[in-house]
Amino acid sequence: MIRLLILSISFGITFNSLAQSAKIYDHNTHKELVKAEKYIPGFVKDSVKTCFPIYRVLIKKEYRSMKFEAVPKYMRIETYLDFDHATLDEVIATTSNWDYILWGKYSNYNSYCYSKSKDNPLLSFVNGIKPDKLYFLFGQSDFLLVEKSAERYLVQYVDHMWKKCDLPELTNNINEFNTYIFPYKQKKKLVYSK
């Protein structure tokens, strides 16, 4: 009886430590890492230490024709966002040698779009806060939306630092906001051109 108890406790501890050390990615992120491994020389998905997917969140179809008098605060438009249909936009990943931004395979060319650097400020920021999810609001890479502990907030990169902000700080041109930013509905498409 005691042996069985000791065996079950040691198995539980071993299983728990294995589960904590396992790299668990959502389906789309895993698929993107596999694709990147196929096309990027020297990139091995198993060597990825940290990985953060960034999703593209757009406005629900029924709200795209709305117009505003002034650029609204984020909290005012949060209910109009379609988080249920957010799609993977890019993956930021780090290995022991490089930080990668993985955008995806070109739709018209047999090649993969990515960048690599030694020190990516976005990756440093994300590693520091460990968010639950990241989004590009309206599909715009300038509008980074962080979700952590059921709270969502916008951040911007100013003076070599990431800090919290709101929509009016990111854009103050109401015509551009009403015409191009808010109703933006395009899905991501990578097209190679020389």
Side-chain angles (χ1 to χ4, degrees), residues 116-134:
K116 67 181 183 179
S117 63
K118 286 288 185 186
D119 186 31
N120 184 324
L122 176 58
L123 196 54
S124 300
F125 167 71
V126 171
N127 271 325
I129 64 167
K130 304 280 191 235
D132 299 331
K133 259 191 170 173
L134 295 169

Side-chain angles (χ1 to χ4, degrees), residues 130-148:
K130 304 280 191 235
D132 299 331
K133 259 191 170 173
L134 295 169
Y135 301 95
F136 286 144
L137 185 60
F138 313 121
Q140 307 286 325
S141 61
D142 295 341
F143 297 0
L144 184 63
L145 183 64
V146 175
E147 181 179 320
K148 184 172 174 73

Side-chain angles (χ1 to χ4, degrees), residues 22-31 33 45-53 55 91-94:
K23 296 175 184 174
I24 301 171
Y25 306 120
D26 66 27
H27 175 72
N28 291 326
T29 304
H30 177 74
K31 204 162 93 173
L33 290 172
K45 72 176 176 50
D46 292 334
S47 69
V48 172
K49 290 180 178 179
T50 57
C51 178
F52 296 97
Y55 296 89
V91 175
I92 52 175
T94 184

Side-chain angles (χ1 to χ4, degrees), residues 8-81:
S8 64
I9 289 173
S10 65
F11 177 73
I13 291 170
T14 304
F15 183 74
N16 190 24
S17 65
L18 285 173
Q20 287 177 356
S21 67
K23 296 175 184 174
I24 301 171
Y25 306 120
D26 66 27
H27 175 72
N28 291 326
T29 304
H30 177 74
K31 204 162 93 173
E32 201 61 49
L33 290 172
V34 169
K35 209 182 302 179
E37 184 176 45
K38 180 180 175 184
Y39 287 98
I40 300 173
F43 181 83
V44 180
K45 72 176 176 50
D46 292 334
S47 69
V48 172
K49 290 180 178 179
T50 57
C51 178
F52 296 97
I54 303 178
Y55 296 89
R56 173 180 289 234
V57 64
L58 304 174
I59 297 297
K60 294 176 185 172
K61 290 178 187 174
E62 60 267 25
Y63 300 114
R64 287 193 188 134
S65 60
M66 288 180 70
K67 301 291 181 213
F68 298 91
E69 295 294 320
V71 177
K73 292 196 175 271
Y74 169 74
M75 293 307 292
R76 181 170 173 209
I77 63 157
E78 187 174 41
T79 56
Y80 308 142
L81 295 170

